[in-house]
Amino acid sequence: DFFAVRPEHVDKNAFANWNEAKNAENQATLAFRNIVKARREAWIWGNHIDGACRIRGGGIWHDQSRLCEDVRQQEPWSKR
């Protein structure tokens, strides 16, 4: 998962207890709750859902099984 956030919009201790959190998703939900409540978030919507990944396309390629250099050389997004 990926997120980008302006630090001034998140409590400075939002991730201080990372080792006690149930999981990353729950901790991020709590950390970003004020941003979401204020409707100031933006989402990247997948446009090439293939059953294995929600985000493929629009300049984003998500792959956990290969090294970045391998993916760049193989260009799986290219229509060859």
Side-chain angles (χ1 to χ4, degrees):
D1 294 345
F2 171 82
F3 68 85
V5 64
R6 292 184 179 116
E8 65 269 18
H9 295 290
V10 178
D11 182 72
K12 69 178 184 176
N13 295 316
F15 296 97
N17 67 338
W18 63 268
N19 58 339
E20 299 168 10
K22 180 178 177 183
N23 58 46
E25 290 78 7
N26 286 351
Q27 188 167 30
T29 298
L30 289 173
F32 304 146
R33 70 183 175 272
N34 291 332
I35 296 169
V36 174
K37 185 177 179 180
R39 302 185 76 173
R40 301 289 295 160
E41 83 277 16
W43 295 85
I44 299 172
W45 296 106
N47 61 2
H48 184 74
I49 299 170
D50 64 2
C53 184
R54 293 169 297 179
I55 299 178
R56 289 212 173 121
I60 297 172
W61 186 266
H62 178 233
D63 193 326
Q64 295 179 328
S65 62
R66 296 178 278 181
L67 298 174
C68 292
E69 187 57 35
D70 295 338
V71 172
R72 283 195 298 268
Q73 286 180 5
Q74 295 169 1
E75 297 182 354
W77 54 85
S78 144
K79 295 180 181 179
R80 294 182 202 184

